[in-house]
Amino acid sequence: MFPKKSVILFVAGWMLLALVALPAHASAASSLDPSTVAIDTFPVFENQVSVRQAHIAWLAAKEEAGMQATIAYIASVNGSTTTLAIILGNFRQSQAALGTADTHAALDTVQQDFRRITLAFREESAARIKTLHGNPAVLPPSVQSAVTASVRVRSLEDQYWQTRTTSELAAFDLRAEQAQTLLAALRSNDYEITAAQEKLTEISTMRNALATALNSRDDTGIEQAHKKIHNASLGFVQAVRLIRLDASQDTNLRQTIEQGSAVMTRAGRINTELKSRGLGISAPAQFVSTGTAQLAAAAAQLDNGKPEDARATLLQFRSTVQSLRDAYRSVLVKEDLPRTTAQEILSVAQSLDITAARMLAL
């Protein structure tokens, strides 16, 4: 029986290069916050419509050449080719539709048509050869010879590789440029980017190997280049994630300092009012002074790139906050205060309690 062979119409899925998705506002260095940077893997070697369209056109041309060779063989042994010619005409109509398929959905439809028509041609040609008692072993070499000799097939093959090479290298350059822009913005905001920059530089040096493999149409070399770029880019993603983690920790510490400063300011106002009433406030005043100094020290340590020192200082500040809270509670118990003043002291004491509780997460 005639061997069943059908064209495989597909487009290879590209390797994914994991890089950083540059947010729209990242060019504004003054507002960049790594804790809000979206990090994900996404395809640099995208299965773009133009590349996929060129690939399908090339494969379809090979199939068309094979169909013509099959019809010629069956005609040479006096077989009927009327139905095969009609099927070939349908195939060519789908080829024409391919030229206007400008979305992946449209290309999917064309591919489905190609597969359906190819199957019909295969079944009809097998039936014709079986009826004629032809030699099926003769056909494959004839088909291969026709494909090899086709000027159109070679032209579409060249067009596919040119489109793919241009597309992949342009996508690579774009992603690398976006990543470099992000790192520059992070650096301008005083974030440490050395590890991420080293990884991006490593990835950039891999472009030559990718370009060489594409230009030589070396599928194995292309796959190897994709894998190397992908693996290196995972390291880049991790490096930027660490920047984001550091930025998140930095943000938490700064928020703690801001919250602490706000509650110290309220405590200072209460102390001023208590002093105006002739009440002894030496303990609360000392705690406010100590706490304010601790916050200033933590802020300086953070500015100098010493988050662990800042965290340790803030833990000392937490003890000061608790002592100040207890001092205010003592004032409430011992002193006969106007209701509004007592309520304000109670409110500050509660704020101090909340601040101390939140700092447990440091």
Side-chain angles (χ1 to χ4, degrees):
M1 183 174 179
F2 181 65
K4 294 184 178 180
K5 299 180 68 176
S6 62
V7 66
I8 301 175
L9 296 173
F10 71 96
V11 177
W14 313 124
M15 292 292 294
L16 298 182
L17 172 59
L19 286 180
V20 176
L22 185 66
H25 65 273
S27 60
S30 61
S31 63
L32 185 68
D33 180 358
S35 66
T36 65
V37 173
I39 303 177
D40 200 356
T41 59
F42 64 91
V44 163
F45 309 115
E46 293 175 342
N47 192 5
Q48 297 181 1
V49 170
S50 60
V51 177
R52 187 180 173 200
Q53 185 183 51
H55 194 199
I56 295 173
W58 170 36
L59 295 177
K62 293 170 68 175
E63 182 67 14
E64 181 190 13
M67 288 180 172
Q68 290 175 316
T70 300
I71 291 174
Y73 169 74
I74 293 175
S76 71
V77 293
N78 299 319
S80 173
T81 61
T82 301
T83 301
L84 290 174
I86 293 174
I87 296 174
L88 176 58
N90 293 336
F91 189 87
R92 286 171 173 164
Q93 288 179 358
S94 292
Q95 285 178 300
L98 176 62
T100 59
D102 56 1
T103 66
H104 284 297
L107 289 175
D108 288 342
T109 299
V110 172
Q111 276 190 293
Q112 290 171 4
D113 289 341
F114 278 143
R115 292 191 181 102
R116 175 180 53 79
I117 296 169
T118 298
L119 176 61
F121 189 92
R122 183 188 67 191
E123 292 176 344
E124 174 63 19
S125 59
R128 291 300 98 214
I129 291 176
K130 182 178 181 180
T131 299
L132 295 167
H133 303 290
N135 181 7
V138 175
L139 189 55
S142 298
V143 169
Q144 184 58 51
S145 177
V147 170
T148 302
S150 173
V151 174
R152 184 163 181 266
V153 169
R154 291 198 300 272
S155 175
L156 289 173
E157 179 182 10
D158 291 341
Q159 183 176 334
Y160 160 67
W161 279 106
Q162 181 179 358
T163 302
R164 179 178 176 183
T165 299
T166 300
S167 177
E168 282 204 23
L169 294 180
F172 180 98
D173 292 340
L174 175 61
R175 302 308 189 202
E177 180 183 355
Q178 289 177 329
Q180 189 60 67
T181 299
L182 174 61
L183 292 186
L186 290 172
R187 182 173 55 244
S188 69
N189 281 266
D190 298 325
Y191 290 104
E192 174 55 52
I193 66 165
T194 300
Q197 183 63 68
E198 288 176 352
K199 276 299 177 183
L200 181 56
T201 300
E202 179 185 350
I203 293 169
S204 297
T205 62
M206 296 176 181
R207 185 187 190 279
N208 288 340
L210 175 61
T212 298
L214 285 166
N215 288 325
S216 61
R217 304 179 182 182
D218 178 5
D219 284 321
T220 300
I222 293 170
E223 182 179 0
Q224 290 175 347
H226 285 175
K227 287 181 178 179
K228 288 181 179 179
I229 293 170
H230 176 69
N231 290 336
S233 69
L234 292 178
F236 177 79
V237 169
Q238 181 60 25
V240 176
R241 280 179 174 155
L242 290 176
I243 295 175
R244 185 175 68 171
L245 178 61
D246 290 342
S248 178
Q249 293 174 343
D250 182 284
T251 299
N252 289 338
L253 292 175
R254 291 191 185 280
Q255 287 178 345
T256 299
I257 292 172
E258 291 175 1
Q259 292 167 357
S261 296
V263 77
M264 287 295 104
T265 298
R266 288 186 64 191
R269 289 200 298 266
I270 286 294
N271 288 349
T272 299
E273 182 176 347
L274 292 176
K275 185 176 181 180
S276 69
R277 294 180 179 278
L279 300 177
I281 59 165
S282 58
Q286 181 58 50
F287 290 137
V288 169
S289 176
T290 299
T292 301
Q294 289 169 334
L295 290 173
Q301 290 164 338
L302 205 53
D303 290 339
N304 291 328
K306 299 179 179 179
E308 292 305 319
D309 290 348
R311 182 177 288 102
T313 300
L314 287 175
L315 290 177
Q316 295 173 2
F317 172 71
R318 180 174 182 272
S319 296
T320 301
V321 166
Q322 291 173 318
S323 297
L324 179 58
R325 174 202 61 194
D326 294 341
Y328 281 138
R329 287 175 176 172
S330 179
V331 170
L332 287 172
V333 171
K334 295 179 180 179
E335 303 294 342
D336 184 15
L337 300 170
R339 182 175 180 179
T340 55
T341 302
Q343 288 177 336
E344 180 64 19
I345 293 176
L346 179 60
S347 175
V348 172
Q350 290 173 338
S351 295
L352 290 167
D353 207 20
I354 292 172
T355 299
R358 286 175 176 171
M359 293 178 68
L360 287 173
L362 290 178

mmCIF file of all heavy atoms in Angstrom, residues 303-343:
data_model
loop_
_atom_site.group_PDB
_atom_site.id
_atom_site.type_symbol
_atom_site.label_atom_id
_atom_site.label_comp_id
_atom_site.label_asym_id
_atom_site.label_seq_id
_atom_site.Cartn_x
_atom_site.Cartn_y
_atom_site.Cartn_z
ATOM 1 N N ASP A 303 20.462 55.163 55.108
ATOM 2 C CA ASP A 303 21.006 55.965 54.006
ATOM 3 C C ASP A 303 22.417 55.524 53.636
ATOM 4 O O ASP A 303 22.839 55.671 52.483
ATOM 5 C CB ASP A 303 21.020 57.448 54.383
ATOM 6 C CG ASP A 303 19.612 58.035 54.456
ATOM 7 O OD1 ASP A 303 18.699 57.437 53.845
ATOM 8 O OD2 ASP A 303 19.429 59.069 55.122
ATOM 9 N N ASN A 304 23.137 54.986 54.597
ATOM 10 C CA ASN A 304 24.511 54.539 54.361
ATOM 11 C C ASN A 304 24.586 53.082 53.912
ATOM 12 O O ASN A 304 25.671 52.488 53.878
ATOM 13 C CB ASN A 304 25.359 54.727 55.626
ATOM 14 C CG ASN A 304 25.596 56.195 55.942
ATOM 15 O OD1 ASN A 304 25.685 57.022 55.032
ATOM 16 N ND2 ASN A 304 25.687 56.535 57.225
ATOM 17 N N GLY A 305 23.424 52.511 53.582
ATOM 18 C CA GLY A 305 23.407 51.146 53.076
ATOM 19 C C GLY A 305 23.640 50.088 54.129
ATOM 20 O O GLY A 305 24.205 49.024 53.836
ATOM 21 N N LYS A 306 23.199 50.355 55.355
ATOM 22 C CA LYS A 306 23.374 49.397 56.445
ATOM 23 C C LYS A 306 22.013 49.046 57.049
ATOM 24 O O LYS A 306 21.696 49.421 58.184
ATOM 25 C CB LYS A 306 24.295 49.973 57.510
ATOM 26 C CG LYS A 306 25.699 50.284 57.000
ATOM 27 C CD LYS A 306 26.567 50.885 58.094
ATOM 28 C CE LYS A 306 27.973 51.177 57.583
ATOM 29 N NZ LYS A 306 28.826 51.789 58.638
ATOM 30 N N PRO A 307 21.189 48.321 56.299
ATOM 31 C CA PRO A 307 19.836 48.011 56.778
ATOM 32 C C PRO A 307 19.817 47.166 58.048
ATOM 33 O O PRO A 307 18.919 47.316 58.882
ATOM 34 C CB PRO A 307 19.204 47.269 55.596
ATOM 35 C CG PRO A 307 20.363 46.724 54.824
ATOM 36 C CD PRO A 307 21.443 47.741 54.968
ATOM 37 N N GLU A 308 20.789 46.270 58.200
ATOM 38 C CA GLU A 308 20.801 45.428 59.402
ATOM 39 C C GLU A 308 21.080 46.263 60.645
ATOM 40 O O GLU A 308 20.489 46.033 61.711
ATOM 41 C CB GLU A 308 21.844 44.319 59.248
ATOM 42 C CG GLU A 308 21.486 43.285 58.186
ATOM 43 C CD GLU A 308 20.119 42.673 58.425
ATOM 44 O OE1 GLU A 308 19.789 42.381 59.600
ATOM 45 O OE2 GLU A 308 19.364 42.496 57.448
ATOM 46 N N ASP A 309 21.984 47.240 60.524
ATOM 47 C CA ASP A 309 22.245 48.138 61.655
ATOM 48 C C ASP A 309 21.003 48.965 61.967
ATOM 49 O O ASP A 309 20.663 49.192 63.140
ATOM 50 C CB ASP A 309 23.418 49.065 61.332
ATOM 51 C CG ASP A 309 24.747 48.318 61.280
ATOM 52 O OD1 ASP A 309 24.778 47.150 61.719
ATOM 53 O OD2 ASP A 309 25.740 48.896 60.796
ATOM 54 N N ALA A 310 20.322 49.414 60.900
ATOM 55 C CA ALA A 310 19.104 50.204 61.098
ATOM 56 C C ALA A 310 18.038 49.371 61.796
ATOM 57 O O ALA A 310 17.323 49.862 62.681
ATOM 58 C CB ALA A 310 18.585 50.706 59.753
ATOM 59 N N ARG A 311 17.936 48.101 61.411
ATOM 60 C CA ARG A 311 16.948 47.225 62.040
ATOM 61 C C ARG A 311 17.259 47.048 63.535
ATOM 62 O O ARG A 311 16.354 47.076 64.382
ATOM 63 C CB ARG A 311 16.934 45.869 61.339
ATOM 64 C CG ARG A 311 15.898 44.908 61.900
ATOM 65 C CD ARG A 311 15.860 43.602 61.128
ATOM 66 N NE ARG A 311 15.256 43.777 59.812
ATOM 67 C CZ ARG A 311 15.941 43.865 58.678
ATOM 68 N NH1 ARG A 311 17.263 43.780 58.692
ATOM 69 N NH2 ARG A 311 15.322 44.026 57.531
ATOM 70 N N ALA A 312 18.533 46.874 63.853
ATOM 71 C CA ALA A 312 18.924 46.710 65.259
ATOM 72 C C ALA A 312 18.595 47.969 66.066
ATOM 73 O O ALA A 312 18.108 47.891 67.207
ATOM 74 C CB ALA A 312 20.419 46.399 65.339
ATOM 75 N N THR A 313 18.840 49.131 65.475
ATOM 76 C CA THR A 313 18.535 50.388 66.162
ATOM 77 C C THR A 313 17.034 50.548 66.371
ATOM 78 O O THR A 313 16.584 51.023 67.427
ATOM 79 C CB THR A 313 19.081 51.579 65.349
ATOM 80 O OG1 THR A 313 20.498 51.442 65.207
ATOM 81 C CG2 THR A 313 18.771 52.900 66.038
ATOM 82 N N LEU A 314 16.252 50.136 65.382
ATOM 83 C CA LEU A 314 14.799 50.243 65.506
ATOM 84 C C LEU A 314 14.253 49.285 66.563
ATOM 85 O O LEU A 314 13.235 49.581 67.206
ATOM 86 C CB LEU A 314 14.140 49.971 64.149
ATOM 87 C CG LEU A 314 14.298 51.101 63.122
ATOM 88 C CD1 LEU A 314 13.729 50.683 61.776
ATOM 89 C CD2 LEU A 314 13.607 52.374 63.614
ATOM 90 N N LEU A 315 14.909 48.164 66.741
ATOM 91 C CA LEU A 315 14.490 47.266 67.819
ATOM 92 C C LEU A 315 14.761 47.904 69.184
ATOM 93 O O LEU A 315 13.986 47.727 70.136
ATOM 94 C CB LEU A 315 15.218 45.927 67.693
ATOM 95 C CG LEU A 315 14.783 45.062 66.502
ATOM 96 C CD1 LEU A 315 15.626 43.796 66.423
ATOM 97 C CD2 LEU A 315 13.296 44.704 66.605
ATOM 98 N N GLN A 316 15.843 48.678 69.281
ATOM 99 C CA GLN A 316 16.093 49.440 70.509
ATOM 100 C C GLN A 316 15.021 50.519 70.681
ATOM 101 O O GLN A 316 14.539 50.770 71.793
ATOM 102 C CB GLN A 316 17.481 50.086 70.449
ATOM 103 C CG GLN A 316 18.631 49.090 70.438
ATOM 104 C CD GLN A 316 19.974 49.759 70.212
ATOM 105 O OE1 GLN A 316 20.063 50.985 70.099
ATOM 106 N NE2 GLN A 316 21.025 48.954 70.139
ATOM 107 N N PHE A 317 14.646 51.128 69.559
ATOM 108 C CA PHE A 317 13.590 52.138 69.589
ATOM 109 C C PHE A 317 12.279 51.526 70.078
ATOM 110 O O PHE A 317 11.508 52.173 70.796
ATOM 111 C CB PHE A 317 13.407 52.733 68.190
ATOM 112 C CG PHE A 317 12.214 53.637 68.057
ATOM 113 C CD1 PHE A 317 12.194 54.885 68.663
ATOM 114 C CD2 PHE A 317 11.097 53.236 67.330
ATOM 115 C CE1 PHE A 317 11.084 55.718 68.544
ATOM 116 C CE2 PHE A 317 9.995 54.058 67.204
ATOM 117 C CZ PHE A 317 9.985 55.306 67.815
ATOM 118 N N ARG A 318 12.032 50.276 69.708
ATOM 119 C CA ARG A 318 10.809 49.605 70.152
ATOM 120 C C ARG A 318 10.764 49.531 71.679
ATOM 121 O O ARG A 318 9.706 49.754 72.298
ATOM 122 C CB ARG A 318 10.726 48.204 69.555
ATOM 123 C CG ARG A 318 9.480 47.431 69.962
ATOM 124 C CD ARG A 318 9.381 46.100 69.222
ATOM 125 N NE ARG A 318 8.167 45.404 69.586
ATOM 126 C CZ ARG A 318 8.061 44.574 70.621
ATOM 127 N NH1 ARG A 318 9.123 44.324 71.386
ATOM 128 N NH2 ARG A 318 6.909 43.993 70.897
ATOM 129 N N SER A 319 11.889 49.232 72.292
ATOM 130 C CA SER A 319 11.940 49.187 73.763
ATOM 131 C C SER A 319 11.656 50.566 74.352
ATOM 132 O O SER A 319 10.955 50.701 75.368
ATOM 133 C CB SER A 319 13.318 48.696 74.219
ATOM 134 O OG SER A 319 13.537 47.362 73.797
ATOM 135 N N THR A 320 12.183 51.601 73.686
ATOM 136 C CA THR A 320 11.936 52.968 74.141
ATOM 137 C C THR A 320 10.449 53.305 74.035
ATOM 138 O O THR A 320 9.866 53.948 74.926
ATOM 139 C CB THR A 320 12.757 53.962 73.302
ATOM 140 O OG1 THR A 320 14.151 53.640 73.420
ATOM 141 C CG2 THR A 320 12.531 55.389 73.758
ATOM 142 N N VAL A 321 9.828 52.882 72.944
ATOM 143 C CA VAL A 321 8.397 53.116 72.732
ATOM 144 C C VAL A 321 7.584 52.461 73.846
ATOM 145 O O VAL A 321 6.639 53.060 74.391
ATOM 146 C CB VAL A 321 7.971 52.568 71.354
ATOM 147 C CG1 VAL A 321 6.441 52.479 71.252
ATOM 148 C CG2 VAL A 321 8.507 53.461 70.246
ATOM 149 N N GLN A 322 7.942 51.247 74.191
ATOM 150 C CA GLN A 322 7.212 50.550 75.254
ATOM 151 C C GLN A 322 7.389 51.252 76.602
ATOM 152 O O GLN A 322 6.437 51.367 77.389
ATOM 153 C CB GLN A 322 7.698 49.105 75.341
ATOM 154 C CG GLN A 322 7.297 48.257 74.133
ATOM 155 C CD GLN A 322 7.927 46.883 74.151
ATOM 156 O OE1 GLN A 322 9.115 46.738 74.476
ATOM 157 N NE2 GLN A 322 7.151 45.868 73.796
ATOM 158 N N SER A 323 8.592 51.741 76.846
ATOM 159 C CA SER A 323 8.842 52.464 78.106
ATOM 160 C C SER A 323 8.049 53.765 78.150
ATOM 161 O O SER A 323 7.490 54.138 79.197
ATOM 162 C CB SER A 323 10.338 52.759 78.247
ATOM 163 O OG SER A 323 11.083 51.557 78.334
ATOM 164 N N LEU A 324 7.980 54.463 77.012
ATOM 165 C CA LEU A 324 7.218 55.711 76.949
ATOM 166 C C LEU A 324 5.731 55.435 77.148
ATOM 167 O O LEU A 324 5.033 56.177 77.858
ATOM 168 C CB LEU A 324 7.453 56.392 75.596
ATOM 169 C CG LEU A 324 6.707 57.704 75.350
ATOM 170 C CD1 LEU A 324 7.047 58.745 76.422
ATOM 171 C CD2 LEU A 324 7.030 58.249 73.956
ATOM 172 N N ARG A 325 5.250 54.362 76.558
ATOM 173 C CA ARG A 325 3.847 53.971 76.746
ATOM 174 C C ARG A 325 3.548 53.744 78.223
ATOM 175 O O ARG A 325 2.538 54.232 78.754
ATOM 176 C CB ARG A 325 3.577 52.693 75.957
ATOM 177 C CG ARG A 325 2.196 52.093 76.166
ATOM 178 C CD ARG A 325 2.212 50.619 75.800
ATOM 179 N NE ARG A 325 3.148 49.875 76.646
ATOM 180 C CZ ARG A 325 3.577 48.635 76.381
ATOM 181 N NH1 ARG A 325 3.165 48.014 75.285
ATOM 182 N NH2 ARG A 325 4.410 48.023 77.212
ATOM 183 N N ASP A 326 4.422 53.014 78.891
ATOM 184 C CA ASP A 326 4.218 52.728 80.316
ATOM 185 C C ASP A 326 4.282 54.004 81.153
ATOM 186 O O ASP A 326 3.540 54.154 82.148
ATOM 187 C CB ASP A 326 5.273 51.733 80.803
ATOM 188 C CG ASP A 326 5.108 50.362 80.151
ATOM 189 O OD1 ASP A 326 4.005 50.083 79.636
ATOM 190 O OD2 ASP A 326 6.086 49.582 80.146
ATOM 191 N N ALA A 327 5.157 54.939 80.747
ATOM 192 C CA ALA A 327 5.269 56.201 81.481
ATOM 193 C C ALA A 327 3.972 57.000 81.382
ATOM 194 O O ALA A 327 3.515 57.600 82.369
ATOM 195 C CB ALA A 327 6.436 57.015 80.937
ATOM 196 N N TYR A 328 3.357 57.010 80.210
ATOM 197 C CA TYR A 328 2.090 57.734 80.043
ATOM 198 C C TYR A 328 0.968 57.064 80.839
ATOM 199 O O TYR A 328 0.091 57.728 81.397
ATOM 200 C CB TYR A 328 1.708 57.803 78.565
ATOM 201 C CG TYR A 328 2.474 58.871 77.808
ATOM 202 C CD1 TYR A 328 2.968 58.626 76.536
ATOM 203 C CD2 TYR A 328 2.685 60.126 78.366
ATOM 204 C CE1 TYR A 328 3.664 59.595 75.839
ATOM 205 C CE2 TYR A 328 3.385 61.106 77.680
ATOM 206 C CZ TYR A 328 3.875 60.837 76.419
ATOM 207 O OH TYR A 328 4.565 61.805 75.743
ATOM 208 N N ARG A 329 0.974 55.761 80.879
ATOM 209 C CA ARG A 329 -0.038 55.063 81.677
ATOM 210 C C ARG A 329 0.107 55.430 83.157
ATOM 211 O O ARG A 329 -0.891 55.586 83.883
ATOM 212 C CB ARG A 329 0.100 53.555 81.482
ATOM 213 C CG ARG A 329 -0.385 53.074 80.111
ATOM 214 C CD ARG A 329 -0.122 51.598 79.915
ATOM 215 N NE ARG A 329 -0.673 51.125 78.640
ATOM 216 C CZ ARG A 329 -0.453 49.913 78.137
ATOM 217 N NH1 ARG A 329 0.310 49.050 78.822
ATOM 218 N NH2 ARG A 329 -0.988 49.560 76.983
ATOM 219 N N SER A 330 1.347 55.575 83.583
ATOM 220 C CA SER A 330 1.597 55.967 84.976
ATOM 221 C C SER A 330 1.061 57.366 85.247
ATOM 222 O O SER A 330 0.476 57.633 86.306
ATOM 223 C CB SER A 330 3.098 55.905 85.271
ATOM 224 O OG SER A 330 3.365 56.309 86.598
ATOM 225 N N VAL A 331 1.246 58.269 84.268
ATOM 226 C CA VAL A 331 0.732 59.640 84.411
ATOM 227 C C VAL A 331 -0.787 59.611 84.535
ATOM 228 O O VAL A 331 -1.384 60.327 85.362
ATOM 229 C CB VAL A 331 1.161 60.504 83.205
ATOM 230 C CG1 VAL A 331 0.430 61.852 83.233
ATOM 231 C CG2 VAL A 331 2.664 60.717 83.221
ATOM 232 N N LEU A 332 -1.434 58.780 83.725
ATOM 233 C CA LEU A 332 -2.897 58.688 83.759
ATOM 234 C C LEU A 332 -3.391 58.208 85.124
ATOM 235 O O LEU A 332 -4.448 58.631 85.610
ATOM 236 C CB LEU A 332 -3.388 57.738 82.657
ATOM 237 C CG LEU A 332 -3.306 58.261 81.222
ATOM 238 C CD1 LEU A 332 -3.633 57.147 80.227
ATOM 239 C CD2 LEU A 332 -4.268 59.435 81.029
ATOM 240 N N VAL A 333 -2.636 57.316 85.743
ATOM 241 C CA VAL A 333 -3.050 56.760 87.033
ATOM 242 C C VAL A 333 -2.812 57.759 88.166
ATOM 243 O O VAL A 333 -3.651 57.929 89.066
ATOM 244 C CB VAL A 333 -2.295 55.446 87.312
ATOM 245 C CG1 VAL A 333 -2.555 54.978 88.747
ATOM 246 C CG2 VAL A 333 -2.720 54.372 86.320
ATOM 247 N N LYS A 334 -1.681 58.465 88.119
ATOM 248 C CA LYS A 334 -1.265 59.296 89.244
ATOM 249 C C LYS A 334 -1.827 60.715 89.210
ATOM 250 O O LYS A 334 -2.020 61.340 90.256
ATOM 251 C CB LYS A 334 0.262 59.374 89.291
ATOM 252 C CG LYS A 334 0.931 58.045 89.586
ATOM 253 C CD LYS A 334 2.449 58.200 89.602
ATOM 254 C CE LYS A 334 3.134 56.873 89.904
ATOM 255 N NZ LYS A 334 4.617 57.027 89.889
ATOM 256 N N GLU A 335 -2.065 61.258 88.031
ATOM 257 C CA GLU A 335 -2.429 62.666 87.923
ATOM 258 C C GLU A 335 -3.923 62.840 87.658
ATOM 259 O O GLU A 335 -4.555 62.015 86.999
ATOM 260 C CB GLU A 335 -1.635 63.335 86.790
ATOM 261 C CG GLU A 335 -0.130 63.218 86.933
ATOM 262 C CD GLU A 335 0.402 63.981 88.133
ATOM 263 O OE1 GLU A 335 -0.321 64.858 88.656
ATOM 264 O OE2 GLU A 335 1.543 63.711 88.552
ATOM 265 N N ASP A 336 -4.452 63.950 88.204
ATOM 266 C CA ASP A 336 -5.846 64.315 87.960
ATOM 267 C C ASP A 336 -5.858 65.277 86.778
ATOM 268 O O ASP A 336 -5.584 66.472 86.921
ATOM 269 C CB ASP A 336 -6.434 64.977 89.209
ATOM 270 C CG ASP A 336 -7.914 65.292 89.023
ATOM 271 O OD1 ASP A 336 -8.518 64.740 88.060
ATOM 272 O OD2 ASP A 336 -8.449 66.083 89.804
ATOM 273 N N LEU A 337 -6.173 64.768 85.605
ATOM 274 C CA LEU A 337 -6.061 65.542 84.372
ATOM 275 C C LEU A 337 -7.427 65.881 83.804
ATOM 276 O O LEU A 337 -8.405 65.143 84.026
ATOM 277 C CB LEU A 337 -5.277 64.741 83.325
ATOM 278 C CG LEU A 337 -3.851 64.341 83.708
ATOM 279 C CD1 LEU A 337 -3.308 63.360 82.673
ATOM 280 C CD2 LEU A 337 -2.959 65.574 83.798
ATOM 281 N N PRO A 338 -7.505 66.994 83.060
ATOM 282 C CA PRO A 338 -8.751 67.289 82.347
ATOM 283 C C PRO A 338 -9.077 66.133 81.403
ATOM 284 O O PRO A 338 -8.185 65.441 80.901
ATOM 285 C CB PRO A 338 -8.425 68.568 81.565
ATOM 286 C CG PRO A 338 -7.307 69.193 82.325
ATOM 287 C CD PRO A 338 -6.496 68.058 82.872
ATOM 288 N N ARG A 339 -10.358 65.968 81.169
ATOM 289 C CA ARG A 339 -10.789 64.819 80.372
ATOM 290 C C ARG A 339 -10.153 64.807 78.980
ATOM 291 O O ARG A 339 -9.702 63.760 78.509
ATOM 292 C CB ARG A 339 -12.309 64.830 80.247
ATOM 293 C CG ARG A 339 -12.850 63.641 79.475
ATOM 294 C CD ARG A 339 -14.358 63.631 79.496
ATOM 295 N NE ARG A 339 -14.884 62.494 78.770
ATOM 296 C CZ ARG A 339 -16.190 62.223 78.651
ATOM 297 N NH1 ARG A 339 -17.078 63.028 79.236
ATOM 298 N NH2 ARG A 339 -16.588 61.169 77.977
ATOM 299 N N THR A 340 -10.121 65.968 78.324
ATOM 300 C CA THR A 340 -9.567 66.011 76.966
ATOM 301 C C THR A 340 -8.081 65.658 76.966
ATOM 302 O O THR A 340 -7.591 64.957 76.068
ATOM 303 C CB THR A 340 -9.763 67.405 76.348
ATOM 304 O OG1 THR A 340 -9.196 68.398 77.224
ATOM 305 C CG2 THR A 340 -11.240 67.700 76.141
ATOM 306 N N THR A 341 -7.357 66.136 77.980
ATOM 307 C CA THR A 341 -5.927 65.831 78.064
ATOM 308 C C THR A 341 -5.710 64.343 78.320
ATOM 309 O O THR A 341 -4.838 63.703 77.715
ATOM 310 C CB THR A 341 -5.261 66.653 79.182
ATOM 311 O OG1 THR A 341 -5.450 68.044 78.931
ATOM 312 C CG2 THR A 341 -3.774 66.350 79.264
ATOM 313 N N ALA A 342 -6.512 63.793 79.230
ATOM 314 C CA ALA A 342 -6.397 62.370 79.542
ATOM 315 C C ALA A 342 -6.689 61.521 78.301
ATOM 316 O O ALA A 342 -6.010 60.511 78.037
ATOM 317 C CB ALA A 342 -7.349 62.004 80.667
ATOM 318 N N GLN A 343 -7.702 61.939 77.545
ATOM 319 C CA GLN A 343 -8.039 61.192 76.330
ATOM 320 C C GLN A 343 -6.902 61.252 75.308
ATOM 321 O O GLN A 343 -6.605 60.264 74.626
ATOM 322 C CB GLN A 343 -9.330 61.744 75.722
ATOM 323 C CG GLN A 343 -10.582 61.401 76.529
ATOM 324 C CD GLN A 343 -11.835 62.021 75.943
ATOM 325 O OE1 GLN A 343 -11.767 63.037 75.233
ATOM 326 N NE2 GLN A 343 -12.984 61.420 76.238
#
